[in-house]
Amino acid sequence: MNKILEPRRKENAAPPTSKKDRQLSNRAVSGAALGLLSLAGIYVGGLWFSVLVFLMSFAMVFEWAQMVLGRPYSPAFFALAAGALLGHILVFVGYPGPALGLCFVASAIAAINSPRAKAWILGGGIYILAPTIGLISLRNGYFPAVGENARALTFGLFLVVWASDTGAFLVGSTVGGPRISPTLSPEKTWSGVIAGSIMGMACGAFMQVVFFREASILLAIAVGGALGAASLCGDLIESACKRAFGVKDTSNIIPGHGGVLDRLDGMILATAAMTGALFVHTVFAG
């Protein structure tokens, strides 16, 4: 079990072609399974979706604390885990504001109780927990601007992230071209970024046609492109964090993808961008 949850360190030797094929196959199967599970959670909403998001947040804080501190269990991890549990209970019962505040408090307590890398623990706790609280708030329709569109908007968010990630991966691996940053992330190319952003805009247009015909098509395209770009930036941010600690994957729990953080890196920043914009709109709209 520990071997599954511990981070994978970088390897110098390239794997055989057959191993790469198996990894791609595992990636497709596990990605499809997780996608169906997520879609079911979005559709049902309520307790099912809240529990699903909590489990993901719990796994991510475990992986983050282990990557930063180098051991599976620590006071910092338990503080973040407790914050995740209590925060998700609060947001589920209808208190998103206190739940968000608790995330900051739990992250601060985790940092204080960390023997080292306090800034990494503090930032990582907020980086993981705040968007998960925002995601449940979005699906539960706590933002006044969302209303009855909570399910459709949540589905649209996931669709944009998945499409952007898939477009960037397929085009980047086949077309190739100049790298964004050979030091930061050697496999990511500008062609992949452009493709991912275009896929995000296409998803925005699709959501407007299917669900939000009263909205501006140009606004939908812009929002889709912005969320797609945020998703790709989230991928780069996680790559930079892993490189700082010499880690290839945050764990081996998801076949073909690595850890939960590896799978949800784009979703974290895209969710933060969407729910952050809705929060600002709520504040200034009164």
Side-chain angles (χ1 to χ4, degrees), residues 58-79:
F58 182 86
M60 286 189 288
V61 297
F62 181 92
E63 292 174 349
W64 183 267
Q66 181 174 244
M67 179 179 71
V68 172
L69 299 177
R71 55 184 175 136
Y73 304 105
S74 64
F77 160 69
F78 287 115

PDB file of all heavy atoms in Angstrom, residues 58-79:
ATOM      1  N   PHE A  58      -8.944  14.716   0.302  1.00  0.00           N
ATOM      2  CA  PHE A  58      -8.184  13.968   1.312  1.00  0.00           C
ATOM      3  C   PHE A  58      -6.951  13.320   0.676  1.00  0.00           C
ATOM      4  O   PHE A  58      -5.850  13.386   1.226  1.00  0.00           O
ATOM      5  CB  PHE A  58      -9.078  12.900   1.934  1.00  0.00           C
ATOM      6  CG  PHE A  58      -8.399  12.101   3.024  1.00  0.00           C
ATOM      7  CD1 PHE A  58      -8.396  12.563   4.332  1.00  0.00           C
ATOM      8  CD2 PHE A  58      -7.781  10.902   2.738  1.00  0.00           C
ATOM      9  CE1 PHE A  58      -7.784  11.833   5.338  1.00  0.00           C
ATOM     10  CE2 PHE A  58      -7.153  10.165   3.737  1.00  0.00           C
ATOM     11  CZ  PHE A  58      -7.156  10.631   5.042  1.00  0.00           C
ATOM     12  N   ALA A  59      -7.148  12.698  -0.483  1.00  0.00           N
ATOM     13  CA  ALA A  59      -6.030  12.065  -1.174  1.00  0.00           C
ATOM     14  C   ALA A  59      -4.987  13.095  -1.591  1.00  0.00           C
ATOM     15  O   ALA A  59      -3.776  12.848  -1.489  1.00  0.00           O
ATOM     16  CB  ALA A  59      -6.535  11.297  -2.395  1.00  0.00           C
ATOM     17  N   MET A  60      -5.444  14.263  -2.035  1.00  0.00           N
ATOM     18  CA  MET A  60      -4.504  15.284  -2.499  1.00  0.00           C
ATOM     19  C   MET A  60      -3.678  15.870  -1.362  1.00  0.00           C
ATOM     20  O   MET A  60      -2.472  16.101  -1.523  1.00  0.00           O
ATOM     21  CB  MET A  60      -5.256  16.384  -3.246  1.00  0.00           C
ATOM     22  CG  MET A  60      -5.731  15.961  -4.619  1.00  0.00           C
ATOM     23  SD  MET A  60      -6.389  17.333  -5.621  1.00  0.00           S
ATOM     24  CE  MET A  60      -7.940  17.666  -4.780  1.00  0.00           C
ATOM     25  N   VAL A  61      -4.293  16.112  -0.184  1.00  0.00           N
ATOM     26  CA  VAL A  61      -3.509  16.654   0.922  1.00  0.00           C
ATOM     27  C   VAL A  61      -2.531  15.602   1.440  1.00  0.00           C
ATOM     28  O   VAL A  61      -1.425  15.939   1.898  1.00  0.00           O
ATOM     29  CB  VAL A  61      -4.401  17.184   2.071  1.00  0.00           C
ATOM     30  CG1 VAL A  61      -5.255  18.348   1.590  1.00  0.00           C
ATOM     31  CG2 VAL A  61      -5.261  16.096   2.685  1.00  0.00           C
ATOM     32  N   PHE A  62      -2.915  14.338   1.359  1.00  0.00           N
ATOM     33  CA  PHE A  62      -1.993  13.262   1.739  1.00  0.00           C
ATOM     34  C   PHE A  62      -0.778  13.274   0.815  1.00  0.00           C
ATOM     35  O   PHE A  62       0.375  13.223   1.271  1.00  0.00           O
ATOM     36  CB  PHE A  62      -2.692  11.909   1.673  1.00  0.00           C
ATOM     37  CG  PHE A  62      -1.819  10.748   2.076  1.00  0.00           C
ATOM     38  CD1 PHE A  62      -1.794  10.310   3.389  1.00  0.00           C
ATOM     39  CD2 PHE A  62      -1.015  10.107   1.145  1.00  0.00           C
ATOM     40  CE1 PHE A  62      -0.981   9.250   3.771  1.00  0.00           C
ATOM     41  CE2 PHE A  62      -0.202   9.051   1.509  1.00  0.00           C
ATOM     42  CZ  PHE A  62      -0.180   8.618   2.827  1.00  0.00           C
ATOM     43  N   GLU A  63      -1.030  13.325  -0.503  1.00  0.00           N
ATOM     44  CA  GLU A  63       0.064  13.326  -1.472  1.00  0.00           C
ATOM     45  C   GLU A  63       0.938  14.569  -1.324  1.00  0.00           C
ATOM     46  O   GLU A  63       2.169  14.493  -1.435  1.00  0.00           O
ATOM     47  CB  GLU A  63      -0.503  13.243  -2.889  1.00  0.00           C
ATOM     48  CG  GLU A  63      -1.154  11.911  -3.203  1.00  0.00           C
ATOM     49  CD  GLU A  63      -1.828  11.900  -4.565  1.00  0.00           C
ATOM     50  OE1 GLU A  63      -1.977  12.988  -5.185  1.00  0.00           O
ATOM     51  OE2 GLU A  63      -2.215  10.816  -5.021  1.00  0.00           O
ATOM     52  N   TRP A  64       0.302  15.711  -1.069  1.00  0.00           N
ATOM     53  CA  TRP A  64       1.068  16.952  -0.939  1.00  0.00           C
ATOM     54  C   TRP A  64       1.965  16.919   0.296  1.00  0.00           C
ATOM     55  O   TRP A  64       3.158  17.244   0.217  1.00  0.00           O
ATOM     56  CB  TRP A  64       0.118  18.151  -0.864  1.00  0.00           C
ATOM     57  CG  TRP A  64       0.839  19.467  -0.809  1.00  0.00           C
ATOM     58  CD1 TRP A  64       1.197  20.168   0.298  1.00  0.00           C
ATOM     59  CD2 TRP A  64       1.318  20.223  -1.927  1.00  0.00           C
ATOM     60  NE1 TRP A  64       1.846  21.319  -0.051  1.00  0.00           N
ATOM     61  CE2 TRP A  64       1.940  21.382  -1.407  1.00  0.00           C
ATOM     62  CE3 TRP A  64       1.260  20.039  -3.316  1.00  0.00           C
ATOM     63  CZ2 TRP A  64       2.515  22.352  -2.240  1.00  0.00           C
ATOM     64  CZ3 TRP A  64       1.827  21.014  -4.136  1.00  0.00           C
ATOM     65  CH2 TRP A  64       2.444  22.145  -3.597  1.00  0.00           C
ATOM     66  N   ALA A  65       1.403  16.533   1.432  1.00  0.00           N
ATOM     67  CA  ALA A  65       2.190  16.475   2.662  1.00  0.00           C
ATOM     68  C   ALA A  65       3.325  15.468   2.543  1.00  0.00           C
ATOM     69  O   ALA A  65       4.443  15.712   3.019  1.00  0.00           O
ATOM     70  CB  ALA A  65       1.288  16.121   3.843  1.00  0.00           C
ATOM     71  N   GLN A  66       3.051  14.349   1.888  1.00  0.00           N
ATOM     72  CA  GLN A  66       4.092  13.328   1.726  1.00  0.00           C
ATOM     73  C   GLN A  66       5.194  13.820   0.799  1.00  0.00           C
ATOM     74  O   GLN A  66       6.377  13.608   1.056  1.00  0.00           O
ATOM     75  CB  GLN A  66       3.483  12.042   1.175  1.00  0.00           C
ATOM     76  CG  GLN A  66       4.503  10.923   1.013  1.00  0.00           C
ATOM     77  CD  GLN A  66       3.857   9.609   0.605  1.00  0.00           C
ATOM     78  OE1 GLN A  66       3.895   8.644   1.344  1.00  0.00           O
ATOM     79  NE2 GLN A  66       3.253   9.594  -0.564  1.00  0.00           N
ATOM     80  N   MET A  67       4.826  14.499  -0.289  1.00  0.00           N
ATOM     81  CA  MET A  67       5.815  15.011  -1.232  1.00  0.00           C
ATOM     82  C   MET A  67       6.697  16.072  -0.581  1.00  0.00           C
ATOM     83  O   MET A  67       7.919  16.075  -0.743  1.00  0.00           O
ATOM     84  CB  MET A  67       5.123  15.597  -2.465  1.00  0.00           C
ATOM     85  CG  MET A  67       6.083  16.182  -3.492  1.00  0.00           C
ATOM     86  SD  MET A  67       5.244  16.852  -4.949  1.00  0.00           S
ATOM     87  CE  MET A  67       4.469  18.327  -4.249  1.00  0.00           C
ATOM     88  N   VAL A  68       6.075  16.974   0.173  1.00  0.00           N
ATOM     89  CA  VAL A  68       6.809  18.094   0.757  1.00  0.00           C
ATOM     90  C   VAL A  68       7.649  17.660   1.946  1.00  0.00           C
ATOM     91  O   VAL A  68       8.802  18.075   2.100  1.00  0.00           O
ATOM     92  CB  VAL A  68       5.831  19.211   1.173  1.00  0.00           C
ATOM     93  CG1 VAL A  68       6.561  20.308   1.954  1.00  0.00           C
ATOM     94  CG2 VAL A  68       5.155  19.803  -0.062  1.00  0.00           C
ATOM     95  N   LEU A  69       7.084  16.813   2.807  1.00  0.00           N
ATOM     96  CA  LEU A  69       7.762  16.441   4.051  1.00  0.00           C
ATOM     97  C   LEU A  69       8.487  15.106   3.973  1.00  0.00           C
ATOM     98  O   LEU A  69       9.264  14.768   4.864  1.00  0.00           O
ATOM     99  CB  LEU A  69       6.756  16.404   5.208  1.00  0.00           C
ATOM    100  CG  LEU A  69       6.049  17.742   5.498  1.00  0.00           C
ATOM    101  CD1 LEU A  69       5.028  17.571   6.610  1.00  0.00           C
ATOM    102  CD2 LEU A  69       7.057  18.818   5.853  1.00  0.00           C
ATOM    103  N   GLY A  70       8.182  14.303   2.946  1.00  0.00           N
ATOM    104  CA  GLY A  70       8.900  13.052   2.755  1.00  0.00           C
ATOM    105  C   GLY A  70       8.461  11.915   3.643  1.00  0.00           C
ATOM    106  O   GLY A  70       9.158  10.903   3.754  1.00  0.00           O
ATOM    107  N   ARG A  71       7.323  12.030   4.298  1.00  0.00           N
ATOM    108  CA  ARG A  71       6.814  10.922   5.108  1.00  0.00           C
ATOM    109  C   ARG A  71       5.291  10.914   5.018  1.00  0.00           C
ATOM    110  O   ARG A  71       4.664  11.963   4.856  1.00  0.00           O
ATOM    111  CB  ARG A  71       7.260  11.035   6.563  1.00  0.00           C
ATOM    112  CG  ARG A  71       6.921  12.346   7.248  1.00  0.00           C
ATOM    113  CD  ARG A  71       7.503  12.375   8.648  1.00  0.00           C
ATOM    114  NE  ARG A  71       7.310  13.651   9.320  1.00  0.00           N
ATOM    115  CZ  ARG A  71       6.918  13.763  10.571  1.00  0.00           C
ATOM    116  NH1 ARG A  71       6.644  12.673  11.277  1.00  0.00           N
ATOM    117  NH2 ARG A  71       6.793  14.945  11.137  1.00  0.00           N
ATOM    118  N   PRO A  72       4.669   9.737   5.125  1.00  0.00           N
ATOM    119  CA  PRO A  72       3.233   9.628   4.861  1.00  0.00           C
ATOM    120  C   PRO A  72       2.351  10.286   5.902  1.00  0.00           C
ATOM    121  O   PRO A  72       1.294  10.818   5.577  1.00  0.00           O
ATOM    122  CB  PRO A  72       2.994   8.115   4.811  1.00  0.00           C
ATOM    123  CG  PRO A  72       4.119   7.532   5.595  1.00  0.00           C
ATOM    124  CD  PRO A  72       5.287   8.431   5.370  1.00  0.00           C
ATOM    125  N   TYR A  73       2.743  10.244   7.176  1.00  0.00           N
ATOM    126  CA  TYR A  73       1.884  10.796   8.228  1.00  0.00           C
ATOM    127  C   TYR A  73       2.676  11.802   9.058  1.00  0.00           C
ATOM    128  O   TYR A  73       3.829  11.558   9.414  1.00  0.00           O
ATOM    129  CB  TYR A  73       1.338   9.693   9.125  1.00  0.00           C
ATOM    130  CG  TYR A  73       0.587   8.627   8.359  1.00  0.00           C
ATOM    131  CD1 TYR A  73       1.150   7.377   8.131  1.00  0.00           C
ATOM    132  CD2 TYR A  73      -0.669   8.900   7.828  1.00  0.00           C
ATOM    133  CE1 TYR A  73       0.467   6.412   7.404  1.00  0.00           C
ATOM    134  CE2 TYR A  73      -1.354   7.944   7.101  1.00  0.00           C
ATOM    135  CZ  TYR A  73      -0.781   6.709   6.890  1.00  0.00           C
ATOM    136  OH  TYR A  73      -1.453   5.761   6.162  1.00  0.00           O
ATOM    137  N   SER A  74       2.036  12.927   9.347  1.00  0.00           N
ATOM    138  CA  SER A  74       2.685  13.989  10.100  1.00  0.00           C
ATOM    139  C   SER A  74       1.607  14.882  10.693  1.00  0.00           C
ATOM    140  O   SER A  74       0.450  14.847  10.265  1.00  0.00           O
ATOM    141  CB  SER A  74       3.597  14.811   9.184  1.00  0.00           C
ATOM    142  OG  SER A  74       2.806  15.465   8.195  1.00  0.00           O
ATOM    143  N   PRO A  75       1.948  15.703  11.699  1.00  0.00           N
ATOM    144  CA  PRO A  75       0.963  16.649  12.238  1.00  0.00           C
ATOM    145  C   PRO A  75       0.394  17.571  11.160  1.00  0.00           C
ATOM    146  O   PRO A  75      -0.791  17.925  11.208  1.00  0.00           O
ATOM    147  CB  PRO A  75       1.774  17.429  13.272  1.00  0.00           C
ATOM    148  CG  PRO A  75       2.839  16.482  13.713  1.00  0.00           C
ATOM    149  CD  PRO A  75       3.200  15.711  12.475  1.00  0.00           C
ATOM    150  N   ALA A  76       1.217  17.949  10.193  1.00  0.00           N
ATOM    151  CA  ALA A  76       0.749  18.818   9.112  1.00  0.00           C
ATOM    152  C   ALA A  76      -0.336  18.125   8.299  1.00  0.00           C
ATOM    153  O   ALA A  76      -1.364  18.728   7.960  1.00  0.00           O
ATOM    154  CB  ALA A  76       1.920  19.210   8.211  1.00  0.00           C
ATOM    155  N   PHE A  77      -0.116  16.853   7.972  1.00  0.00           N
ATOM    156  CA  PHE A  77      -1.121  16.114   7.206  1.00  0.00           C
ATOM    157  C   PHE A  77      -2.425  15.994   7.979  1.00  0.00           C
ATOM    158  O   PHE A  77      -3.510  16.219   7.429  1.00  0.00           O
ATOM    159  CB  PHE A  77      -0.604  14.714   6.854  1.00  0.00           C
ATOM    160  CG  PHE A  77      -1.712  13.750   6.517  1.00  0.00           C
ATOM    161  CD1 PHE A  77      -2.457  13.912   5.350  1.00  0.00           C
ATOM    162  CD2 PHE A  77      -2.035  12.705   7.376  1.00  0.00           C
ATOM    163  CE1 PHE A  77      -3.500  13.043   5.056  1.00  0.00           C
ATOM    164  CE2 PHE A  77      -3.058  11.829   7.071  1.00  0.00           C
ATOM    165  CZ  PHE A  77      -3.801  12.005   5.915  1.00  0.00           C
ATOM    166  N   PHE A  78      -2.339  15.652   9.271  1.00  0.00           N
ATOM    167  CA  PHE A  78      -3.558  15.475  10.060  1.00  0.00           C
ATOM    168  C   PHE A  78      -4.321  16.794  10.206  1.00  0.00           C
ATOM    169  O   PHE A  78      -5.555  16.806  10.230  1.00  0.00           O
ATOM    170  CB  PHE A  78      -3.211  14.889  11.437  1.00  0.00           C
ATOM    171  CG  PHE A  78      -2.833  13.436  11.382  1.00  0.00           C
ATOM    172  CD1 PHE A  78      -1.552  13.020  11.717  1.00  0.00           C
ATOM    173  CD2 PHE A  78      -3.756  12.476  10.976  1.00  0.00           C
ATOM    174  CE1 PHE A  78      -1.198  11.680  11.660  1.00  0.00           C
ATOM    175  CE2 PHE A  78      -3.415  11.132  10.912  1.00  0.00           C
ATOM    176  CZ  PHE A  78      -2.136  10.730  11.250  1.00  0.00           C
ATOM    177  N   ALA A  79      -3.599  17.910  10.280  1.00  0.00           N
ATOM    178  CA  ALA A  79      -4.268  19.214  10.351  1.00  0.00           C
ATOM    179  C   ALA A  79      -5.009  19.507   9.059  1.00  0.00           C
ATOM    180  O   ALA A  79      -6.159  19.980   9.062  1.00  0.00           O
ATOM    181  CB  ALA A  79      -3.242  20.308  10.649  1.00  0.00           C
TER     182      ALA A  79
END
